[in-house]
Amino acid sequence: MLSETMAIGGSQFAANYRDPHWYAVQTCANHEKRVRQQLDLRVVETYLPVYESVRHWKDRRVRLELPLFPGYLFVRLALSDRLQVLRTPSVVRIVEFGGKAVALPEHEIETLRRGLTRELGVEPYPYLKVGRRVRVTTGPLQGFEGILVRKKNRSRFVISIDLIMRSVAVEIDVAELEPIHGSVQSVRTSAGT
């Protein structure tokens, strides 16, 4: 019985080792775009969410495209192919917990891709774990859970990704939100996880 369980567990591990999943990759500071280019050349699927920032200098204004999660990007690969990523210049590590690489749920990355568009006014926000929890009921972020905050008389919906301890804020209409009863707790990145 025990050997059967070990065999089943071992084959499940082997399948997870061969099947592609999304992982967070930590990079050297300000090297996210360079790492993405290198991984694209190695035919590794990447996702680097960015936002637009306007910087004012003495003589001009400049629009910059900056990483939404500084120091991180997401890759989709089988763990058996992780050396392709780890051998890439400026890659620090694949994010782990307890010594094992932690896969992000597929639906979370797809919802981030679909929902975090430039039209939403997305920007980095200090990492939050507690606050008034709400769920988005309509729009591209439908189903996401996060924290509602006020900034300059505007409502901001803060999404926290606990694995990398980073948050982003999105301007949102309060009518698109519903409170989660039993509020003020740890935030999850999306419904059902």
Short mmCIF file of all heavy atoms in Angstrom, two decimals, residues 34-46 75-77 81-91:
data_model
loop_
_atom_site.label_atom_id
_atom_site.label_comp_id
_atom_site.label_asym_id
_atom_site.label_seq_id
_atom_site.Cartn_x
_atom_site.Cartn_y
_atom_site.Cartn_z
N ARG A 34 15.87 43.10 -20.16
CA ARG A 34 17.01 42.39 -20.76
C ARG A 34 16.85 40.88 -20.58
O ARG A 34 17.09 40.10 -21.51
CB ARG A 34 18.31 42.88 -20.12
CG ARG A 34 19.54 42.37 -20.81
CD ARG A 34 20.80 43.03 -20.29
NE ARG A 34 20.71 44.49 -20.42
CZ ARG A 34 21.14 45.34 -19.50
NH1 ARG A 34 21.70 44.90 -18.40
NH2 ARG A 34 21.04 46.64 -19.69
N VAL A 35 16.42 40.46 -19.40
CA VAL A 35 16.21 39.03 -19.15
C VAL A 35 15.09 38.52 -20.05
O VAL A 35 15.20 37.44 -20.63
CB VAL A 35 15.89 38.77 -17.66
CG1 VAL A 35 15.39 37.36 -17.45
CG2 VAL A 35 17.12 39.04 -16.81
N ARG A 36 14.01 39.30 -20.19
CA ARG A 36 12.91 38.87 -21.07
C ARG A 36 13.41 38.67 -22.50
O ARG A 36 13.09 37.68 -23.14
CB ARG A 36 11.77 39.90 -21.06
CG ARG A 36 10.61 39.48 -21.97
CD ARG A 36 9.56 40.51 -22.10
NE ARG A 36 10.16 41.72 -22.67
CZ ARG A 36 9.57 42.90 -22.68
NH1 ARG A 36 8.38 43.06 -22.15
NH2 ARG A 36 10.17 43.94 -23.22
N GLN A 37 14.24 39.60 -23.00
CA GLN A 37 14.77 39.46 -24.36
C GLN A 37 15.62 38.20 -24.48
O GLN A 37 15.51 37.46 -25.47
CB GLN A 37 15.61 40.68 -24.72
CG GLN A 37 14.79 41.94 -24.91
CD GLN A 37 15.67 43.19 -25.04
OE1 GLN A 37 16.84 43.17 -24.68
NE2 GLN A 37 15.09 44.27 -25.55
N GLN A 38 16.46 37.93 -23.49
CA GLN A 38 17.31 36.74 -23.52
C GLN A 38 16.48 35.47 -23.48
O GLN A 38 16.77 34.51 -24.20
CB GLN A 38 18.30 36.75 -22.35
CG GLN A 38 19.38 37.78 -22.46
CD GLN A 38 20.32 37.47 -23.61
OE1 GLN A 38 20.71 36.33 -23.84
NE2 GLN A 38 20.66 38.49 -24.37
N LEU A 39 15.44 35.46 -22.66
CA LEU A 39 14.58 34.27 -22.57
C LEU A 39 13.76 34.08 -23.85
O LEU A 39 13.52 32.94 -24.26
CB LEU A 39 13.68 34.35 -21.34
CG LEU A 39 14.40 34.22 -20.01
CD1 LEU A 39 13.45 34.47 -18.84
CD2 LEU A 39 15.08 32.86 -19.88
N ASP A 40 13.35 35.18 -24.48
CA ASP A 40 12.65 35.07 -25.76
C ASP A 40 13.55 34.42 -26.81
O ASP A 40 13.09 33.60 -27.60
CB ASP A 40 12.18 36.45 -26.24
CG ASP A 40 11.00 36.99 -25.44
OD1 ASP A 40 10.38 36.21 -24.67
OD2 ASP A 40 10.72 38.19 -25.56
N LEU A 41 14.84 34.76 -26.79
CA LEU A 41 15.78 34.14 -27.72
C LEU A 41 15.94 32.64 -27.44
O LEU A 41 16.22 31.86 -28.34
CB LEU A 41 17.16 34.81 -27.63
CG LEU A 41 17.24 36.24 -28.16
CD1 LEU A 41 18.61 36.84 -27.86
CD2 LEU A 41 16.95 36.29 -29.66
N ARG A 42 15.76 32.24 -26.19
CA ARG A 42 15.86 30.83 -25.80
C ARG A 42 14.51 30.12 -25.92
O ARG A 42 14.36 29.00 -25.46
CB ARG A 42 16.37 30.72 -24.37
CG ARG A 42 17.77 31.26 -24.20
CD ARG A 42 18.15 31.37 -22.74
NE ARG A 42 19.41 32.09 -22.62
CZ ARG A 42 20.42 31.67 -21.89
NH1 ARG A 42 20.33 30.56 -21.21
NH2 ARG A 42 21.53 32.38 -21.83
N VAL A 43 13.52 30.79 -26.49
CA VAL A 43 12.18 30.27 -26.72
C VAL A 43 11.51 29.82 -25.41
O VAL A 43 10.94 28.76 -25.32
CB VAL A 43 12.18 29.12 -27.77
CG1 VAL A 43 10.77 28.84 -28.25
CG2 VAL A 43 13.07 29.45 -28.95
N VAL A 44 11.62 30.69 -24.39
CA VAL A 44 10.94 30.47 -23.13
C VAL A 44 9.81 31.50 -23.07
O VAL A 44 10.04 32.69 -23.28
CB VAL A 44 11.89 30.66 -21.92
CG1 VAL A 44 11.13 30.58 -20.60
CG2 VAL A 44 13.00 29.62 -21.97
N GLU A 45 8.59 31.04 -22.81
CA GLU A 45 7.45 31.95 -22.73
C GLU A 45 7.58 32.83 -21.49
O GLU A 45 7.81 32.33 -20.39
CB GLU A 45 6.14 31.16 -22.67
CG GLU A 45 4.91 32.03 -22.74
CD GLU A 45 3.62 31.23 -22.74
OE1 GLU A 45 3.67 29.98 -22.79
OE2 GLU A 45 2.56 31.87 -22.69
N THR A 46 7.46 34.15 -21.69
CA THR A 46 7.62 35.09 -20.59
C THR A 46 6.42 36.03 -20.51
O THR A 46 5.69 36.20 -21.49
CB THR A 46 8.88 35.96 -20.76
OG1 THR A 46 8.77 36.71 -21.97
CG2 THR A 46 10.14 35.11 -20.77
N VAL A 75 7.72 33.33 -16.01
CA VAL A 75 8.08 32.42 -17.11
C VAL A 75 7.19 31.19 -17.04
O VAL A 75 6.78 30.77 -15.96
CB VAL A 75 9.56 32.00 -17.06
CG1 VAL A 75 10.48 33.18 -17.24
CG2 VAL A 75 9.90 31.24 -15.81
N ARG A 76 6.91 30.63 -18.20
CA ARG A 76 6.13 29.40 -18.27
C ARG A 76 7.06 28.32 -18.82
O ARG A 76 7.52 28.41 -19.96
CB ARG A 76 4.91 29.57 -19.18
CG ARG A 76 3.99 28.38 -19.16
CD ARG A 76 2.68 28.72 -19.86
NE ARG A 76 1.68 27.73 -19.60
CZ ARG A 76 1.52 26.62 -20.32
NH1 ARG A 76 2.30 26.39 -21.36
NH2 ARG A 76 0.58 25.75 -20.00
N LEU A 77 7.34 27.32 -17.99
CA LEU A 77 8.23 26.26 -18.40
C LEU A 77 8.04 25.05 -17.51
O LEU A 77 7.45 25.14 -16.43
CB LEU A 77 9.69 26.71 -18.33
CG LEU A 77 10.23 26.98 -16.93
CD1 LEU A 77 11.48 26.17 -16.70
CD2 LEU A 77 10.53 28.45 -16.79
N ASP A 81 13.24 22.06 -17.49
CA ASP A 81 13.94 23.00 -18.36
C ASP A 81 14.42 24.25 -17.61
O ASP A 81 14.80 25.23 -18.23
CB ASP A 81 13.02 23.44 -19.50
CG ASP A 81 12.60 22.28 -20.37
OD1 ASP A 81 13.40 21.33 -20.53
OD2 ASP A 81 11.47 22.31 -20.90
N ARG A 82 14.43 24.21 -16.30
CA ARG A 82 14.73 25.41 -15.52
C ARG A 82 16.15 25.94 -15.72
O ARG A 82 16.40 27.12 -15.53
CB ARG A 82 14.45 25.18 -14.04
CG ARG A 82 15.40 24.26 -13.35
CD ARG A 82 14.97 23.99 -11.90
NE ARG A 82 15.85 23.07 -11.24
CZ ARG A 82 15.79 21.75 -11.35
NH1 ARG A 82 14.88 21.19 -12.11
NH2 ARG A 82 16.65 20.97 -10.72
N LEU A 83 17.07 25.08 -16.12
CA LEU A 83 18.45 25.54 -16.33
C LEU A 83 18.54 26.57 -17.46
O LEU A 83 19.42 27.42 -17.44
CB LEU A 83 19.38 24.37 -16.58
CG LEU A 83 19.72 23.53 -15.34
CD1 LEU A 83 20.62 22.37 -15.70
CD2 LEU A 83 20.33 24.38 -14.26
N GLN A 84 17.63 26.48 -18.45
CA GLN A 84 17.60 27.50 -19.51
C GLN A 84 17.42 28.89 -18.89
O GLN A 84 18.00 29.86 -19.36
CB GLN A 84 16.43 27.26 -20.46
CG GLN A 84 16.61 26.16 -21.45
CD GLN A 84 15.44 26.16 -22.40
OE1 GLN A 84 15.17 27.16 -23.05
NE2 GLN A 84 14.75 25.04 -22.46
N VAL A 85 16.59 28.95 -17.85
CA VAL A 85 16.32 30.23 -17.19
C VAL A 85 17.45 30.59 -16.24
O VAL A 85 17.95 31.71 -16.26
CB VAL A 85 14.97 30.15 -16.44
CG1 VAL A 85 14.75 31.39 -15.60
CG2 VAL A 85 13.83 29.95 -17.41
N LEU A 86 17.87 29.64 -15.42
CA LEU A 86 18.87 29.93 -14.40
C LEU A 86 20.23 30.30 -14.98
O LEU A 86 21.01 30.99 -14.33
CB LEU A 86 19.00 28.73 -13.45
CG LEU A 86 17.76 28.46 -12.59
CD1 LEU A 86 17.91 27.14 -11.83
CD2 LEU A 86 17.48 29.61 -11.65
N ARG A 87 20.53 29.84 -16.19
CA ARG A 87 21.80 30.17 -16.84
C ARG A 87 21.74 31.49 -17.61
O ARG A 87 22.74 31.89 -18.19
CB ARG A 87 22.21 29.04 -17.78
CG ARG A 87 22.64 27.81 -17.04
CD ARG A 87 23.09 26.74 -18.00
NE ARG A 87 23.58 25.57 -17.26
CZ ARG A 87 23.67 24.38 -17.77
NH1 ARG A 87 23.32 24.16 -19.03
NH2 ARG A 87 24.12 23.38 -17.05
N THR A 88 20.61 32.13 -17.60
CA THR A 88 20.45 33.40 -18.30
C THR A 88 21.12 34.50 -17.49
O THR A 88 20.88 34.60 -16.28
CB THR A 88 18.95 33.73 -18.50
OG1 THR A 88 18.35 32.64 -19.20
CG2 THR A 88 18.76 35.01 -19.27
N PRO A 89 21.95 35.33 -18.12
CA PRO A 89 22.58 36.43 -17.38
C PRO A 89 21.52 37.32 -16.72
O PRO A 89 20.47 37.59 -17.30
CB PRO A 89 23.33 37.21 -18.47
CG PRO A 89 23.56 36.21 -19.55
CD PRO A 89 22.37 35.29 -19.52
N SER A 90 21.80 37.76 -15.51
CA SER A 90 20.96 38.64 -14.70
C SER A 90 19.78 37.95 -14.04
O SER A 90 18.97 38.62 -13.39
CB SER A 90 20.48 39.86 -15.49
OG SER A 90 21.58 40.61 -15.94
N VAL A 91 19.63 36.64 -14.19
CA VAL A 91 18.60 35.91 -13.45
C VAL A 91 19.19 35.54 -12.10
O VAL A 91 20.29 34.98 -12.02
CB VAL A 91 18.14 34.64 -14.19
CG1 VAL A 91 17.35 33.72 -13.28
CG2 VAL A 91 17.31 35.01 -15.40
#
